[in-house]
Amino acid sequence: MSKKRLNTPMGLYIHIPFCLKKCPYCAFNSYAGSEVSERYISALEKEMEWLSSLFGLESCAVDSIYLGGGTPSMLSASDLGRLLSTAASMFKLDKDAEVTIEVNPATVNSEKLKGFREAGINRISIGVQSLNDNKLNLLGRLHSASEAIESFRLARNCGYKNISVDLMTGLPGETLRELKNDLKELEQLSPDHISLYLLNIEKGTDFFDKQEKGELAPPNEDIQRDFFLRASQILQEDGYFRYETSNYARPGFESRHNLKYWTGADYLGLGAGAHSYLAETGWGMRWWNCLLPSSYCDALEAGRLPLEGCEILSREEALSEAVLTSLRTRGGLEEISLEKRFGESAFKTLITRAKELVPKDLILLEAGKIALTDRGALMADEIAMTITR
Ligand code: SF4
């Protein structure tokens, strides 16, 4: 494999698929009941080493590392430091790289947060979900509202200047007053970045089973849409900029790592179930790892990559993906960058179809650009399919 010369710095995603307890709504690749083992850490190191040498990425700049899960805050500070040092030795880690870890409030204290900072973390993303104990109970979270607030304050006191929180709305029975209270409490904390999600009940979760048995009311889609738009409006009035469908930031605090997914940049996903994407191979190549942590470790220990699947994108697939991912960003789909990659007629074809959605308040058309309104952001996938069909 020849040495790669990426035009823009790459991102690294490291998946830690372990949790203290499985939340009943969670469809992520995560498993309750085991610690982050030495075996798993070693497998991650092996995978980093292997991918770096396979694609000749040793001199490729990496300007973001994101530890997601699962619950990566179950890592000890020393194991986290070990992973970050290995990454720095396998790639050219930018000295100003954004290095994020997702934190579950039930797993951290001041000492741990300090240790993470000393290990190289400069951004934390706290899975708050709500600041209402009833909502947290319904979601089966292991922490209370006051523990979530406490972990936020501890993180600020430890010197973290870039803190994101996750907030979930659209729960069965949730009232608008509860949502507004959540937002008011958040405003007091003043996080730098907020990810706003609607509860989505997916197959394979406890919530899905309960819903099937009639024990849990399905979320009402009209109410969810209304709540999302209200929350979006309040956040924007509070000075947060919606730079991606579900993500809001104070100016300058957009997540560099998240933006890689939406702007077609290269990223390597390490760990069980992680996905990777390299744009430079034809129209792009993606691959993904096997889901089970034990199979992931088995493969690397046996000298194999832990691959579950791989695809080389065709021009049409790459175009659909570029449309979908760009539309998710506030910057939208830009004529110049689209035509540079896909040829002169690509944008003109899309804009004819996009014009039909303007009267429905789903799309904003500006010179050389197609973007989604707040209402359109709720239907990003459908709109992308409509204009690329
Ligand atoms: S803590 Fe996060 S990853 Fe783990 S089960 Fe709950 S929602 Fe899923």
Side-chain angles (χ1 to χ4, degrees):
M1 196 65 68
S2 63
K3 293 258 174 210
K4 285 192 70 64
R5 273 186 193 66
L6 305 180
N7 296 326
T8 49
M10 186 172 67
L12 287 188
Y13 172 82
I14 302 177
H15 191 68
I16 306 294
F18 308 104
C19 292
L20 294 176
K21 168 184 171 267
K22 185 82 180 172
C23 301
Y25 61 90
C26 177
F28 295 133
N29 184 35
S30 62
Y31 305 88
S34 41
E35 296 289 312
V36 191
S37 62
E38 163 62 28
R39 188 177 181 222
Y40 191 76
I41 303 278
S42 300
L44 284 170
E45 290 184 311
K46 277 198 186 87
E47 193 187 11
M48 267 189 240
E49 194 177 340
W50 198 331
L51 292 179
S52 170
S53 108
L54 177 68
F55 292 109
L57 297 171
E58 299 89 343
S59 57
C60 280
V62 166
D63 69 350
S64 75
I65 300 184
Y66 191 104
L67 288 114
T71 306
S73 52
M74 283 169 67
L75 279 167
S76 66
S78 63
D79 280 344
L80 173 66
R82 184 175 145 191
L83 286 173
L84 295 179
S85 312
T86 307
S89 65
M90 296 298 152
F91 308 95
K92 208 170 121 214
L93 188 59
D94 200 294
K95 68 174 178 27
D96 298 318
E98 174 190 277
V99 188
T100 306
I101 189 165
E102 289 177 354
V103 162
N104 182 323
T107 58
V108 287
N109 54 26
S110 180
E111 196 187 334
K112 195 160 198 186
L113 288 167
K114 264 188 214 141
F116 285 170
R117 207 162 124 69
E118 281 158 17
I121 295 292
N122 53 29
R123 179 174 185 272
I124 67 170
S125 172
I126 307 181
V128 169
Q129 313 309 347
S130 173
L131 291 169
N132 172 326
D133 283 334
N134 291 335
K135 279 176 70 178
L136 291 172
N137 277 338
L138 175 66
L139 291 171
R141 301 289 297 181
L142 282 172
H143 57 87
S144 63
S146 58
E147 284 165 339
I149 292 172
E150 177 66 5
S151 56
F152 187 96
R153 297 220 161 105
L154 288 177
R156 274 286 192 244
N157 291 340
C158 286
Y160 287 95
K161 293 194 169 52
N162 191 346
I163 306 182
S164 176
V165 301
D166 286 354
L167 182 69
M168 189 178 285
T169 186
L171 277 58
E174 182 185 356
T175 63
L176 191 55
R177 181 191 286 261
E178 286 171 335
L179 169 63
K180 284 184 174 171
N181 277 345
D182 263 349
L183 291 164
K184 212 163 146 193
E185 297 265 348
L186 266 194
E187 200 189 337
Q188 310 278 319
L189 294 177
S190 195
D192 310 290
H193 182 282
I194 296 172
S195 297
L196 175 69
Y197 300 107
L198 285 175
L199 174 67
N200 183 22
I201 299 189
E202 293 185 45
K203 217 173 170 175
T205 62
D206 281 359
F207 271 7
F208 183 86
D209 295 343
K210 278 194 170 174
Q211 195 177 279
E212 292 289 286
K213 289 187 211 149
E215 292 168 8
L216 181 74
N220 177 311
E221 284 184 19
D222 290 337
I223 294 178
Q224 281 200 321
R225 187 166 50 242
D226 188 41
F227 277 26
F228 186 88
L229 293 174
R230 295 296 281 273
S232 187
Q233 187 193 353
I234 293 170
L235 290 173
Q236 290 178 77
E237 284 165 5
D238 285 347
Y240 293 94
F241 177 71
R242 181 173 69 76
Y243 69 98
E244 193 270 331
T245 306
S246 310
N247 288 298
Y248 298 75
R250 297 221 186 272
F253 286 92
E254 298 85 354
S255 160
R256 192 187 288 170
H257 190 84
N258 281 349
L259 277 170
K260 295 207 182 289
Y261 300 139
W262 314 122
T263 54
D266 302 85
Y267 57 86
L268 290 184
L270 307 150
H275 286 232
S276 301
Y277 173 75
L278 288 181
E280 281 204 347
T281 317
W283 292 105
M285 173 171 78
R286 66 173 71 259
W287 67 94
W288 51 98
N289 288 345
C290 55
L291 293 174
L292 282 176
S294 56
S295 312
Y296 169 81
C297 294
D298 287 347
L300 284 152
E301 285 163 4
R304 286 182 279 114
L305 275 174
L307 277 191
E308 177 83 13
C310 172
E311 63 187 2
I312 309 282
L313 300 182
S314 65
R315 180 186 180 279
E316 286 63 39
E317 287 165 337
L319 176 63
S320 300
E321 237 172 64
V323 171
L324 173 62
T325 52
S326 312
L327 280 181
R328 287 186 67 105
T329 66
R330 189 59 159 209
L333 187 59
E334 290 185 344
E335 181 172 8
I336 297 177
S337 53
L338 196 79
E339 300 210 332
K340 191 170 154 203
R341 189 163 172 216
F342 295 100
E344 275 191 9
S345 61
F347 192 77
K348 289 179 192 67
T349 316
L350 298 174
I351 204 147
T352 313
R353 295 180 196 136
K355 275 182 184 159
E356 294 165 19
L357 301 174
V358 174
K360 296 181 177 163
D361 186 29
L362 297 174
I363 272 194
L364 296 167
L365 291 183
E366 291 164 25
K369 198 164 104 173
I370 305 172
L372 298 183
T373 60
D374 281 358
R375 186 171 290 278
L378 280 161
M379 302 169 57
D381 294 9
E382 293 97 309
I383 293 172
M385 261 193 280
T386 305
I387 70 173
T388 51
R389 70 177 183 264

